[in-house]
């Protein structure tokens, strides 16, 4: 979250938007690049959208879809694995259940660019990019520096950010890079201390008021955006939130409230919201492939290979 600036993020979002709308193309931009996805934890969206993004840019893709099929299963260290990856790939996307995996592999002789595809409870930065891309696209008026403060978003998040990397990264990105879009933040959690010191400090530095509560029903009607994320990996098991935190068609949402979720979902998010204007979660997943294309182009240093269509070609 701290390696990118707000202008860099907005430039990536703009490129993703142009790729998504067809205003530009980059079909061969990575044709001599090998992208390796090394996933030591299950994934549908992150791995497949990175691989789809790489294929759409003409890259070759190598995949470790499951840590059990690599020699880490025999006990090989992440450090040694990192050294090998230098020879096999030009960009590595890593997902790992350990909070410290990124640091372990980064502190070795891995020299190719490393993208975090989610590490333990720590961070899921490309998910946060997809989330903020979807939200800012839907709330474009909030980019306007002259937008009155009362138009800012009252944000509710359901889950325990200090233990949920998608939620944690979404909040960190908001506090660090988009605080001017937010009016206040409410964290709904059964954990009495759902934030950690880094989040606390980020909110304080951003002068954002934060309230923690366990009463979703009482507050949900005040949220302009509610980010639901009550599924988390605890050790080797997935833990789901209390049924009291379920959001569905019976939840008294504001009429124009947007519901976000990184997916996968279980019972905490009702499918009866899927065909309603509240649903932003499918847009988060749809946009992720374009965000990841923009990121791969930038990381590979191939932004000069993007070709914009002339206005007349677009009709
Ligand atoms: N949102 C997300 O990270 O989904 P996956 O675990 O399926 O990659």
């Amino acid at each position: 979250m701290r390696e990118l600036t707000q202008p860099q993020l907005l430039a990536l979002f703009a490129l993703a938007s142009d790729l998504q709308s067809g205003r530009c193309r980059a079909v061969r931009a990575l044709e001599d690049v090998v992208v390796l996805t090394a996933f030591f934890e299950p994934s549908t969206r992150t791995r497949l959208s990175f691989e789809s993004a790489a294929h759409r840019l003409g890259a070759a893709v190598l995949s470790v879809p499951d840590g059990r099929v690599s020699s880490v299963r025999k006990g090989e260290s992440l450090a040694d694995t990192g050294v090998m990856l230098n020879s096999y790939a030009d960009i590595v996307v890593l997902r790992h259940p350990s909070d410290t995996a990124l640091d372990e592999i980064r502190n070795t002789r891995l020299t190719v660019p490393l993208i975090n595809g989610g590490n333990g409870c720590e961070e899921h930065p490309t998910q946060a990019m997809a989330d903020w891309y979807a939200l800012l696209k839907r709330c474009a008026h909030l980019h306007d520096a002259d937008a009155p403060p009362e138009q800012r978003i009252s944000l509710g998040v359901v889950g325990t950010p200090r233990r949920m990397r998608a939620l944690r990264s979404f909040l960190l990105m908001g506090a660090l890079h988009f605080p001017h879009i937010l009016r206040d933040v409410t964290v709904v959690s059964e954990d009495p201390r759902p934030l950690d010191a880094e989040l606390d400090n980020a909110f304080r530095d951003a002068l954002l008021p934060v309230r923690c509560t366990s009463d979703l029903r009482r507050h949900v009607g005040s949220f302009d955006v509610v980010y639901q994320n009550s599924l988390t990996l605890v050790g080797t098991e997935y833990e789901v939130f209390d049924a009291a935190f379920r959001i569905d068609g019976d939840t008294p949402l504001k009429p124009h409230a947007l519901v976000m979720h990184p997916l996968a979902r279980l019972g905490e998010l009702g499918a009866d919201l899927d065909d309603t204007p509240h649903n932003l979660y499918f847009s988060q997943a749809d946009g992720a492939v374009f965000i990841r294309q923009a990121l791969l182009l930038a990381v590979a240093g191939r932004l000069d290979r993007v070709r914009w269509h002339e206005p007349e070609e677009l009709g």
Side-chain angles (χ1 to χ4, degrees):
M1 284 303 107
R2 295 182 186 276
E3 287 179 10
L4 287 170
T5 63
Q6 192 217 59
Q8 286 173 325
L9 285 169
L10 292 177
L12 288 170
F13 294 175
L15 176 56
S17 177
D18 285 346
L19 288 162
Q20 188 164 10
S21 67
R23 281 192 292 274
C24 69
R25 287 156 61 81
V27 282
R28 298 230 172 98
L30 300 191
E31 61 188 351
D32 55 348
V33 173
V34 178
V35 175
L36 190 153
T37 54
F39 276 55
F40 294 87
E41 189 190 288
S43 167
T44 298
R45 276 145 294 273
T46 310
R47 184 172 66 81
L48 293 182
S49 64
F50 262 115
E51 293 181 4
S52 173
H55 281 296
R56 286 167 196 269
L57 298 171
V61 176
L62 292 176
S63 187
V64 179
D66 178 341
R68 286 173 301 184
V69 302
S70 81
S71 285
V72 170
R73 176 92 166 112
K74 297 181 209 159
E76 186 172 32
S77 68
L78 268 181
D80 280 355
T81 306
V83 177
M84 300 304 117
L85 299 184
N86 280 331
S87 318
Y88 305 150
D90 302 302
I91 298 175
V92 174
V93 185
L94 178 75
R95 168 171 290 189
H96 202 281
S98 159
D99 289 1
T100 57
L102 262 286
D103 290 332
E104 278 172 46
I105 205 161
R106 194 161 42 190
N107 291 337
T108 67
R109 280 175 285 182
L110 181 81
T111 54
V112 297
L114 178 66
I115 298 176
N116 183 358
N119 68 314
C121 298
E122 279 280 302
E123 290 209 18
H124 195 350
T126 65
Q127 176 69 46
M129 290 170 68
D131 295 345
W132 279 97
Y133 171 64
L135 183 56
L136 293 176
K137 248 176 113 93
R138 191 65 71 89
C139 304
H141 62 284
L142 292 173
H143 282 305
D144 182 355
D146 297 328
E150 61 272 16
Q151 283 190 10
R152 292 179 190 166
I153 290 169
S154 195
L155 172 66
V157 300
V158 186
T160 305
R162 68 180 177 81
R163 291 203 293 126
M164 296 170 175
R165 62 189 176 211
L167 198 47
R168 188 166 188 279
S169 285
F170 176 73
L171 289 175
L172 264 182
M173 188 171 277
L176 293 174
H177 302 303
F178 304 112
H180 56 287
I181 284 166
L182 299 173
R183 187 163 59 232
D184 51 49
V185 177
T186 301
V187 181
V188 182
S189 172
E190 57 197 356
D191 187 327
R193 297 188 60 207
L195 302 176
D196 54 42
E198 187 178 14
L199 281 167
D200 270 334
N201 291 339
F203 286 131
R204 195 189 54 233
D205 293 348
L207 305 177
L208 267 175
V210 181
R211 167 175 59 196
C212 297
T213 176
S214 59
D215 192 343
L216 177 64
R217 282 259 153 190
R218 180 166 167 215
H219 295 286
V220 73
S222 68
F223 301 150
D224 302 303
V225 175
V226 54
Y227 194 115
Q228 167 66 286
N229 183 202
S230 52
L231 175 73
T232 191
L233 189 65
V234 178
T236 55
E237 298 297 323
Y238 287 93
E239 197 175 271
V240 190
F241 246 42
D242 193 288
F245 297 110
R246 177 178 161 88
I247 294 177
D248 59 22
D250 293 330
T251 305
L253 295 163
K254 264 189 177 178
H256 300 292
L258 295 172
V259 176
M260 303 181 72
H261 195 301
L263 305 176
R265 68 173 158 194
L266 294 179
E268 78 283 7
L269 177 63
D272 54 353
L273 288 175
D274 290 0
D275 295 322
T276 72
H278 297 300
N279 176 354
L280 193 65
Y281 37 94
F282 288 162
S283 301
Q284 292 166 250
D286 290 344
V289 73
F290 300 99
I291 278 291
R292 287 171 174 138
Q293 281 185 62
L295 184 62
L296 288 173
L297 285 164
V299 168
R302 294 290 172 84
L303 293 170
D304 59 338
R305 301 274 191 99
V306 179
R307 298 282 170 261
W308 268 266
H309 295 291
E310 298 300 326
E312 57 271 21
E313 288 180 71
L314 294 170

